[in-house]
């Protein structure tokens, strides 16, 4: 079972005690994955299609608990993708279909199928608890979430821009900033921030999935901190080794060219200490001197040696013939 399927399975077992919340949840499901058909004699029939058995089970339960409607459930196997199954929850009775659509505010007084997408006027999402249920239903109907071990991505696919804007507005009432992107002919409401996805799971009332995601986020953050620390230490070691190698080359050049005895006493002392202990840190080198010198003092003397070596190399380049003599 995929990560998204596990979350939908958990959400499918969450049943709001209040009838108005149950109506809000079924309204979102019908809006995003429902189909209304009208026969020649003007009889209504409602079908909800899904590839997730947990969603089909939730639809069946909501219609039974909320409206006392016994639905027909059919299963169809995809002939092209043999592993995929499509579950259809069907309300065949005309009066039952009208009752559900009227309660969900998906049908007008004149019997025309229409959706009230206004956040201010839509009674289905008037209360905070109903908005939670609506988002939960929307995710069950057309939502997806990536495995957080790989990436953070939460999305709900809508057929029209109006539905996407309504959903984004409802999500926004919980202080979450969802975005909308057009993908093919659909409008996708999505979030990519791990902390916001955690908050979204809290809004939808999925505590188990929330704790799982938080644990994964903590582990990933710890791994990231360890990797950053290791990279930083590795870079520092590389920098220290490179500096020590350059210092040795400069000191050896001075020694082989004019001799260390030509240097001032303090520079000769640090030069011989570096030659004796090429792997030592600046602190360790300073402790070898008499009297001991701090890191900044050691670094200053080694820089002076580097400047002397550079000047000697420049002089050699300017007078190569004299050097040969």
């Amino acid at each position: 079972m995929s990560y998204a399927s596990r979350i939908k399975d958990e959400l499918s077992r969450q049943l709001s005690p209040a009838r108005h919340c149950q109506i809000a949840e079924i309204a979102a499901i019908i809006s995003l994955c429902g189909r209304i058909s009208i026969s020649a004699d003007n009889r209504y029939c409602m079908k909800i299609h899904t590839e997730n058995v947990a969603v089909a089970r939730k639809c069946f339960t909501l219609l039974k608990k909320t409206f006392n409607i016994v639905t027909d459930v059919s299963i169809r196997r995809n002939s092209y993708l043999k592993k995929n199954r499509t579950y259809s929850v069907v309300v065949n009775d005309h009066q039952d279909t009208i009752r559900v659509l009227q309660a969900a505010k998906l049908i007008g007084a004149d019997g025309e199928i229409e959706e009230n997408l206004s956040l201010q006027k839509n009674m289905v999402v008037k209360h905070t608890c109903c908005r939670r249920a609506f988002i939960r239903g929307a995710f069950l109907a057309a939502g997806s979430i990536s495995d957080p071990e790989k990436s953070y991505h939460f999305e709900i696919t809508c057929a029209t821009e109006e539905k996407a804007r309504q959903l984004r507005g409802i999500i926004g009432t919980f202080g979450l900033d969802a975005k909308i992107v057009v993908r093919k002919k659909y409008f996708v409401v999505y979030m990519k921030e791990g902390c916001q996805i955690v908050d979204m799971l809290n809004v939808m009332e999925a505590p188990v999935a929330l704790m799982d995601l938080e644990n994964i986020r903590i582990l990933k953050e710890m791994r990231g901190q360890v990797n950053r620390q290791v990279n930083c230490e590795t870079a520092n070691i590389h920098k220290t080794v490179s500096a020590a190698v350059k210092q040795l080359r400069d000191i050896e050049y001075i020694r082989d060219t004019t001799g260390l005895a030509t240097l001032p006493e303090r520079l000769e002392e640090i030069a011989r200490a570096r030659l004796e202990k090429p792997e030592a840190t600046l602190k360790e080198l300073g402790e070898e001197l008499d009297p001991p010198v701090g890191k900044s003092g050691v670094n200053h003397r080694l820089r002076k040696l580097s400047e002397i070596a550079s000047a000697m190399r420049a002089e050699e380049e300017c007078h190569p013939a004299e050097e040969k003599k």
Side-chain angles (χ1 to χ4, degrees), residues 7 62 69 73 78 86 141 145 177 195 207 255 319:
I7 294 178
L62 283 172
I69 295 174
V73 180
N78 192 316
T86 300
I145 184 170
D177 184 22
C195 58
R255 180 196 63 189
H319 306 285

Side-chain angles (χ1 to χ4, degrees), residues 56-114:
R57 182 175 63 239
K58 185 64 176 285
C59 294
F60 180 89
T61 303
L62 283 172
L63 291 169
K64 175 64 179 174
K65 294 280 187 182
T66 311
F67 300 98
N68 195 28
I69 295 174
V70 178
T71 58
D72 296 328
V73 180
S74 62
I75 305 172
R76 185 179 64 185
R77 187 183 296 274
N78 192 316
S79 58
Y80 296 101
L81 301 172
K82 295 183 179 180
K83 292 183 179 180
N84 284 17
R85 293 180 178 180
T86 300
Y87 301 87
S88 298
V89 181
V90 184
V91 179
N92 284 309
D93 185 79
H94 171 75
Q95 292 300 328
D96 287 341
T97 301
I98 294 296
R99 277 199 299 129
V100 174
L101 293 177
Q102 286 177 339
K105 308 301 180 188
L106 298 174
I107 190 171
D110 55 359
E112 291 294 323
I113 302 297
E114 59 182 28

Side-chain angles (χ1 to χ4, degrees), residues 147-158:
D147 187 343
E149 289 282 7
K150 299 176 182 177
S151 64
Y152 297 125
H153 185 83
F154 173 97
E155 68 174 42
I156 299 175
T157 304
C158 302

Side-chain angles (χ1 to χ4, degrees), residues 11 16 25 58 132-140 204-205:
L11 292 176
S16 301
E25 190 165 353
K58 185 64 176 285
R132 289 179 182 271
F134 187 92
I135 295 171
R136 181 167 60 245
F139 179 75
L140 284 170
M204 295 191 299
E205 299 175 314

Side-chain angles (χ1 to χ4, degrees), residues 33-263:
C33 69
R35 298 290 184 274
I36 310 300
S37 59
I38 305 175
S39 65
D41 56 349
N42 207 35
R43 308 291 290 179
Y44 287 71
C45 173
M46 181 173 67
K47 296 180 181 180
I48 300 172
H49 301 288
T50 177
E51 293 184 355
N52 191 303
V53 65
V55 178
R57 182 175 63 239
K58 185 64 176 285
C59 294
F60 180 89
T61 303
L62 283 172
L63 291 169
K64 175 64 179 174
K65 294 280 187 182
T66 311
F67 300 98
N68 195 28
I69 295 174
V70 178
T71 58
D72 296 328
V73 180
S74 62
I75 305 172
R76 185 179 64 185
R77 187 183 296 274
N78 192 316
S79 58
Y80 296 101
L81 301 172
K82 295 183 179 180
K83 292 183 179 180
N84 284 17
R85 293 180 178 180
T86 300
Y87 301 87
S88 298
V89 181
V90 184
V91 179
N92 284 309
D93 185 79
H94 171 75
Q95 292 300 328
D96 287 341
T97 301
I98 294 296
R99 277 199 299 129
V100 174
L101 293 177
Q102 286 177 339
K105 308 301 180 188
L106 298 174
I107 190 171
D110 55 359
E112 291 294 323
I113 302 297
E114 59 182 28
E115 221 174 314
N116 179 6
L117 299 172
S118 169
L119 288 179
Q120 289 76 27
K121 299 179 181 179
N122 193 339
M123 296 300 294
V124 172
V125 291
K126 180 179 180 180
H127 303 290
T128 300
C129 57
C130 294
R131 291 195 289 272
R132 289 179 182 271
F134 187 92
I135 295 171
R136 181 167 60 245
F139 179 75
L140 284 170
S144 178
I145 184 170
S146 63
D147 187 343
E149 289 282 7
K150 299 176 182 177
S151 64
Y152 297 125
H153 185 83
F154 173 97
E155 68 174 42
I156 299 175
T157 304
C158 302
T160 66
E161 185 177 2
E162 289 76 13
K163 288 182 180 181
R165 289 185 179 278
Q166 180 196 39
L167 181 59
R168 184 178 66 177
I170 294 172
I171 292 173
T173 62
F174 294 95
L176 301 175
D177 184 22
K179 302 289 192 300
I180 297 177
V181 65
V182 179
R183 186 183 300 158
K184 295 182 179 178
K185 61 179 181 178
Y186 297 103
F187 296 83
V188 180
V189 181
Y190 72 95
M191 291 184 293
K192 285 183 173 292
E193 295 287 339
C195 58
Q196 287 204 330
I197 295 174
V198 168
D199 291 339
M200 178 58 71
L201 291 175
N202 182 47
V203 168
M204 295 191 299
E205 299 175 314
V208 175
L210 186 152
M211 291 305 299
D212 287 344
L213 179 54
E214 280 286 49
N215 289 335
I216 292 171
R217 287 183 66 222
I218 290 170
L219 287 174
K220 288 179 72 173
E221 186 174 340
M222 288 177 62
R223 289 194 205 108
Q225 289 178 347
V226 170
N227 288 336
R228 285 192 293 272
Q229 186 173 354
V230 169
N231 291 338
C232 182
E233 291 177 355
T234 301
N236 287 337
I237 291 171
H238 178 74
K239 183 179 178 181
T240 301
V241 170
S242 299
V245 170
K246 184 180 184 303
Q247 292 160 10
L248 282 170
R249 288 175 179 170
D250 289 339
I251 293 169
E252 289 170 350
Y253 180 77
I254 296 171
R255 180 196 63 189
D256 297 340
T257 305
T258 61
L260 298 180
T262 60
L263 294 170

